[in-house]
Amino acid sequence: MLAKRRVRPHGKHAMSAEVVSLPRKRPTLDPMLALTAPGMNAVNSVILDRMQSEIPLIPRLAGHLISGGGKRLRPMLTLAGAELVGYSGARHHKLAAAVEFIHTATLLHDDVVDGSDLRRGKAAANIIFGNPATVLVGDFLFSRAFELMTEDGSLKVLKILSGASAIIAEGEVDQLTAQRQIETSEERYLHIIGAKTAALFAAASRISAVVAECDEHQEQALDDYGRNLGVAFQLVDDAIDYDSDAAEMGKTRGDDFREGKMTMPVILAYARGDDAERKFWQSAISGRLISDDDLAQAIRLIEKHDAVADTRERARHFAQRAVDALSIFPDGKARAAMAEAAHFAVMRGY
Amino acid sequence: MLAKRRVRPHGKHAMSAEVVSLPRKRPTLDPMLALTAPGMNAVNSVILDRMQSEIPLIPRLAGHLISGGGKRLRPMLTLAGAELVGYSGARHHKLAAAVEFIHTATLLHDDVVDGSDLRRGKAAANIIFGNPATVLVGDFLFSRAFELMTEDGSLKVLKILSGASAIIAEGEVDQLTAQRQIETSEERYLHIIGAKTAALFAAASRISAVVAECDEHQEQALDDYGRNLGVAFQLVDDAIDYDSDAAEMGKTRGDDFREGKMTMPVILAYARGDDAERKFWQSAISGRLISDDDLAQAIRLIEKHDAVADTRERARHFAQRAVDALSIFPDGKARAAMAEAAHFAVMRGY
């Protein structure tokens, strides 16, 4: 299927596609889902239990997103990591729920920040419930996350997740600062997504090693796995927003374009474009060209320079680093599932 | 000065004003400020140090509010409590800074939630920096608060402040739910302000006893002091918004009215009003009467029923409970300063 869909001729910059070896069969998330299914039931119970409140609007609003079809990838990383290192306790269930609460809180706040209409194919929370309630329920979930961590009682976990939370916020503000700035470099962009997305992936993955009392070496390896996976995941997310081939992902195609968000496909197309194309990008990203025709033109330029394909290549690079970070752990079901999940991340929407 | 300004005749409901004994001279915050001045220097250093970030917009936005003339009453409670119980360490400086960060985060989010133009007499953060950055910098400060607590390492403090944070968010959502609901009862209103305001006052005060390793009895007394003070403080805040006598407090007079926020003066005026007056309140709070003339009419009705004076009476009741909660501690400079601060809270803007 991959070969069949990848029929468009490679541009001069897409050479690297031939170098990286792809897994033979199309990777899926299934082994990861199977590995973490029993634990995810426990995590989901904690999530449902702890999103309750005597204020009915809170579980209603939180539930809109929490039951809204997210894959709960981040708590899954905590559970998979625990399997990988042979942890047999139950402490990580609460902590994985805390990770999902932090993630949900940031999504709710993102909905307000981006003003996007859709989230996972449904109306965004702020469209239904308004900005005020959406901001406040985000705060509530964030507080609940810290309550859960405090109940667990590991100061090390608290340090990792409070640190990650601050870095996420910094990354989001940094992204806001870079918005409508066509001169944003690839390095700066990688720095931004390393903070706004990968920091929580890294933390979610790392804390499994903390509860299992692994050594620093293993902790760091799980951090590396999560962080690289997070970067790959975000790159693919950003690619999908301009990918004319991509299956529908529940977000409105072209959102990033209309918001003047600087993402990898634009950075590549701009870097590789001629003077006229660069003029187009300058106008578009500054917000002067946002019609459907302009989006179509953006997608044409991105295709011309293989910028979606090469964003996926960049993602493949980070996914491979994620996989290789696991090499210090014994081979087995958990490691294979986590490796396949990384390859799957790159193929999403393809 | 008090007697001179309080010339308007008491209405039939203002009788209780004669019952509560007022302190002889006008109370001030000065003893509290003197008591906590050295500690506040340390707290301010932590605040300035920990609001920094490599993303320049973060300290700029946070600094707008943090250097914006707030009294830092909440961290002051932590410091005063520490003086009261004879704590001689320095742990509470970081924790008091964490309290102020939580408070600042909620103020930033409130600015977005309320859409108010002014905060402490200056343009609100969201007016200058926009909603997105304001939400995200709030998240950043909130995360930093938890980093500070984690560095301190007391799980008990973490439990108190994460719990308080969740309750604050619940209180804010509850207030949102009660907005434009003229039938909101005094009981429900007290429940709301107990959560959205008093919970942090209580926590700020309580944690001083935790770092000083006081017994549960003293911890609870400091919690009671902070909680009652917080209720009094909010009642007075709400009174000022309708008080034609009040000195300017930096918030736009009538904000609560125009937002259809149910506060004590409205609850009292509505409860005591005749049918025609109740009709007015129903229309006003539902948002159909928001002109300056409508506000003037609201203030007339509130004066007619002594609703501002009696809101202050309610505040005086809670302030007195705060003072009496301190009775288990030895008399001295700290206790006297804290008691006077409670009386001062009631007189603000008068």
Side-chain angles (χ1 to χ4, degrees), chain A residues 55-65 104-105 107-112 124-142, chain B residues 109-115 131 135 139 166 168-179:
Chain A
I55 315 300
L57 179 55
I58 291 179
R60 212 162 79 230
L61 198 158
H64 171 74
L65 196 53
T104 308
L107 287 187
L108 290 173
H109 288 181
D110 278 354
D111 283 345
V112 173
N126 59 318
I127 300 298
I128 301 176
F129 300 99
N131 280 347
T134 305
V135 169
L136 296 172
V137 173
D139 291 350
F140 172 80
L141 292 176
F142 202 61
Chain B
H109 288 181
D110 278 355
D111 282 345
V112 173
V113 166
D114 293 344
N131 281 346
V135 169
D139 291 351
I168 292 166
E170 283 182 308
E172 301 253 17
V173 176
D174 200 13
Q175 179 170 56
L176 214 56
T177 314
Q179 205 166 3

Side-chain angles (χ1 to χ4, degrees), chain A residues 61 127 191 228 348:
Chain A
L61 198 158
I127 300 298
H191 189 71
N228 282 294
R348 280 186 316 137

Side-chain angles (χ1 to χ4, degrees), chain A residues 105-114 131-132 134-136 138-139 169 172-173 176, chain B residues 61 104-113 125-126 129-143:
Chain A
T106 64
L107 287 187
L108 290 173
H109 288 181
D110 278 354
D111 283 345
V112 173
V113 166
D114 292 343
N131 280 347
T134 305
V135 169
L136 296 172
D139 291 350
E172 302 253 18
V173 177
L176 213 55
Chain B
L61 197 158
T104 309
T106 64
L107 288 188
L108 289 174
H109 288 181
D110 278 355
D111 282 345
V112 173
V113 166
N126 59 317
F129 300 98
N131 281 346
T134 305
V135 169
L136 295 173
V137 173
D139 291 351
F140 172 79
L141 292 176
F142 202 60
S143 304

